[in-house]
């Protein structure tokens, strides 16, 4: 009922309300007025303005396939004609300097107003050098590592003619069914904030105008990680409290670190699509947080307002999205087709268009593009700064630090390199699933498989059996694997999700390992040989049977191009593992959403008390098998007495906690010291940790 009257009301009142909206928006933080930009705006037609607010796929430089839903591909000549006519201001997901220069030349020599193009791309975890997926890197608990890998990604991407990355994804992910857990820093807000800021600093560097500075885009604003049932694109029902405590802070941290763009989310929030929400994209973002950049809508998110049932048609959708504060339209072409008509019909004040253009031009200017339109389009840099050995070294270090040792009974790990190792499983000698989701520009042939890594590290007695495909059985696979296991001293079982089982649109109902691989694990475990399980995944998993009970269990996510070498470093003990879980591994899939920092209930399970009539499922404890923060290593640490700088923590102040940590084991190691607090009595109940 509400929906059927809503849009009509909006349409009729809209022209009256908009100037009002606009005036309030102006009273909020905005980009500073710049005479050059103002002069440009005064000369622009509304088509040229809409062009600056449009980003299209870079067919000229050949966008990689399979990244986004199939959409009508444009002819190259058509695209270049649009550049010439000023009908497009930015291109995305292409790369390469020669063609990039040519497109830029057309924009600044052949278009009327000579406004430079902005080249964007999904540079999510590395460019040619592929680093671990963001979730894996978060397991390092070392934001500085993420800053360094983002810096190298920026150096390489800008050397290949890209100015702007659609990263970092800073969505908090508390439901492991959601496939995009892989792209963020996991379930914890504090860790999420630290990684968000570190990645922005890494991408952008100290000076946005520098050749190697890559403009960052925290995404997806907002609450995309809270989709109902963990199903991608689904609706979000959420309280203000949870939005502001959980989902907003990583964005705020990213903006505080200097991010000048944001991407609006696909999902709705309490009935209003995020990409059509004036409250979100203007009142919160600019009004409350003083954000001074521009917002790009996620891929066709403006057009999708129609299917949400929030806009009647394309014209309505474009008007709602722009007025909400979504300054740039990605790929739908709606702004270019609709905004000029809306302005001409008096349904959209020119001032609203101007303000969005002002923001986009401000960011182009901040990148130095007006003075130096060929920045980041240098053939010399392209030839000399991509895929360098130092970048690979960093990929190996990052991969090593991303590995989490979950279990290590009787210190089975590290392995003796002289042992006869049976390397079993679909991911033991596999190159296709090393990178993980959202790798657009990495080259497979540069990556190191686990088998190769072990050989590189000097393992000579190695038998390799695939045993199973990722999601289907392999004929005779189990028999061959069991035979190999029987002949070996120890089994390393490398299995898990394929790289296309997480990422966008890869939500799962069950977060277990696919059945054929589970069967392989059971058969191999039944040989009784010492068993090390290596788990690839883009999310937390629910481990069962042999996978849960193996002597050693390692979470290795998707580690990128140096995966094999890094895993060999850990398995053979050249380095001790130091990663910690950024997401909790539950007992059962059905516990989702499970996260460690939930609130208490009136009937929590308390040790020593009855468990009847308490907060838990019949089949599983209300706990994780491995909680957030868990991770083992090869040495031992003792903690000295904890001292506090003051007896109590003031509500608006700080407090220092210190303790002496000693490595009491026989090996070098790194310890991630973690401190959790709880506010035990509050007017709004607080998390248990
Ligand atoms: C994703 C974004 C991505 C965009 C461009 C969308 O489907 O949600 O994260 O940046 O595509 O590839």
């Amino acid at each position: 009922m509400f929906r059927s009257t809503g849009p009509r009301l909006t349409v009729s009142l809209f022209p009256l309300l908009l100037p009002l909206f606009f005036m309030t928006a102006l009273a909020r933080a905005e980009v500073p007025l710049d005479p050059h930009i103002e002069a440009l705006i005064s000369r622009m037609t509304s088509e040229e303005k809409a062009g600056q607010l449009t980003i299209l796929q870079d067919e000229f430089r050949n966008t990689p396939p399979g990244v986004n839903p199939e959409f009508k591909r444009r002819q190259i000549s058509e695209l270049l004609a649009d550049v010439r006519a000023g009908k497009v201001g930015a291109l995305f997901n292409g790369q390469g300097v020669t063609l990039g220069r040519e497109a830029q030349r057309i924009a600044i020599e052949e278009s009327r107003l000579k406004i430079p193009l902005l080249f964007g791309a999904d540079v999510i975890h590395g460019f040619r050098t592929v680093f671990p997926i963001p979730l894996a890197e978060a397991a390092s608990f070392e934001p500085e590592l993420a800053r360094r890998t983002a810096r190298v990604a920026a150096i390489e991407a800008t050397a290949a003619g890209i100015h702007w990355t659609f990263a970092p994804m800073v969505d908090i992910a508390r439901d492991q069914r959601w496939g995009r857990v892989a792209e963020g820093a996991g379930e914890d807000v504090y860790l999420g904030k630290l990684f968000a800021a570190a990645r922005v600093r890494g991408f952008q560097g100290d000076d946005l105008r520098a050749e190697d500075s890559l403009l960052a885009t925290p995404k997806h604003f907002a609450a995309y990680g809270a989709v109902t049932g963990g199903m991608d694109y689904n609706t979000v029902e959420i309280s203000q409290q949870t939005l502001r405590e959980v989902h907003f802070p990583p964005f705020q941290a990213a903006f505080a670190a200097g991010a000048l763009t944001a991407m609006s989310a696909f999902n709705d929030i309490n009935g209003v699509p995020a990409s059509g929400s004036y409250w979100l994209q203007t009142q919160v973002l600019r009004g409350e947080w003083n954000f001074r950049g521009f917002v790009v809508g996620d891929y066709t998110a403006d057009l999708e307002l129609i299917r949400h049932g929030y806009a009647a048609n394309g014209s309505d959708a474009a008007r709602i999205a722009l007025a909400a504060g979504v300054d740039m339209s990605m790929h739908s072409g709606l702004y270019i087709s609709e905004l000029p008509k809306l302005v001409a019909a008096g349904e959209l004040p020119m001032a609203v268009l101007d303000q969005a253009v002002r923001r986009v031009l401000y960011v182009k200017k901040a990148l130095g593009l007006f003075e130096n339109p060929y920045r980041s389009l240098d053939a010399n840099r392209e030839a000399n700064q991509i895929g360098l050995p130092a970048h690979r070294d960093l990929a190996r270090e990052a991969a090593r630090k991303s590995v989490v040792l979950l279990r290590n009974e009787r210190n089975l790990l590290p392995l003796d390199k002289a042992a006869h190792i049976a390397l079993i499983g679909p991911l033991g000698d596999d190159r296709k699933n090393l990178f993980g989701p959202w790798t657009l520009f990495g080259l497979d042939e540069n990556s190191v498989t686990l088998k190769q890594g072990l050989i590189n590290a000097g393992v000579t007695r190695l038998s390799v059996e695939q045993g199973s495909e990722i999601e289907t059985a392999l004929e005779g696979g189990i028999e061959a694997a069991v035979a190999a296991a029987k002949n070996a001293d120890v089994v390393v079982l490398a299995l898990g999700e394929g790289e296309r089982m997480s990422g966008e649109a890869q939500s799962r109902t069950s977060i277990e390992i696919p059945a054929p691989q589970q069967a392989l694990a059971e058969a191999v475990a039944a040989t009784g040989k010492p068993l090390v399980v290596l788990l690839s995944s883009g999310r937390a998993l629910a481990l069962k049977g042999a996978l849960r009970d193996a002597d050693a269990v390692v979470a290795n996510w998707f580690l990128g191009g140096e995966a094999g070498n890094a895993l060999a470093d850990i398995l053979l003990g050249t380095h001790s593992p130091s990663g910690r879980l950024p997401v909790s591994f539950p007992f059962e899939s059905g516990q989702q959403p499970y996260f460690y920092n939930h609130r208490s209930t009136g009937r929590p399970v308390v040790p020593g008390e009855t468990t009847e009539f308490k907060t838990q499922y019949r089949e599983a404890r209300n706990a994780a098998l491995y909680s957030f923060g868990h991770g083992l290593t090869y040495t031992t640490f003792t903690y000295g007495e904890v001292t506090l700088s003051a007896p109590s923590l003031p509500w608006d102040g700080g407090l220092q906690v210190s303790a002496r940590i000693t490595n009491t084991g026989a090996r070098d190691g790194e310890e991630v010291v973690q401190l959790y607090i709880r506010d035990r009595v509050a007017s709004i109940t607080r998390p248990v940790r």
Side-chain angles (χ1 to χ4, degrees), residues 57 67-69 92-93 121-122 124 165-167 169 180 183 217 219-220 224 232-233 263-264 266 297-300 304 330 438 440 504:
Q57 242 169 48
V67 176
N68 295 112
F92 75 101
N93 281 351
D122 290 287
I124 308 298
T165 177
F166 308 137
M169 188 194 95
R180 305 198 76 168
E183 294 172 55
T217 314
K219 69 185 187 185
H220 306 80
Y224 188 28
D232 211 358
Y233 317 123
M263 186 183 285
S264 71
F266 286 131
D298 202 347
Y299 189 93
T300 66
E304 293 173 23
M330 186 184 282
W438 285 110
L440 272 56
E504 186 174 349

Side-chain angles (χ1 to χ4, degrees), residues 1 16 28 83 101 103 110 200-201 210 234 334 380 423 436 502 532 547-549 551 575 662:
M1 228 191 350
L16 298 176
R28 303 180 195 290
V83 173
R101 287 186 79 91
E110 298 181 13
V200 169
R201 282 199 297 270
N234 208 5
L334 263 197
N380 232 329
L423 176 59
S502 58
V532 181
L547 297 177
R548 182 192 51 218
D549 302 334
D551 304 291
H575 289 263
T662 315

Side-chain angles (χ1 to χ4, degrees), residues 10-11 14 18 314-324 339 342 347-348:
T10 322
V11 170
F14 203 80
L18 254 181
S315 160
D316 209 19
R319 180 180 55 72
I320 291 173
L322 183 73
L339 296 183
L342 283 161
E347 289 177 36
L348 186 70

Side-chain angles (χ1 to χ4, degrees), residues 57-65 67-68 73 92-94 440:
Q57 242 169 48
D58 190 346
E59 308 294 3
F60 185 48
R61 296 194 292 178
N62 208 359
T63 309
V67 176
N68 295 112
R73 287 209 167 231
F92 75 101
N93 281 351
L440 272 56

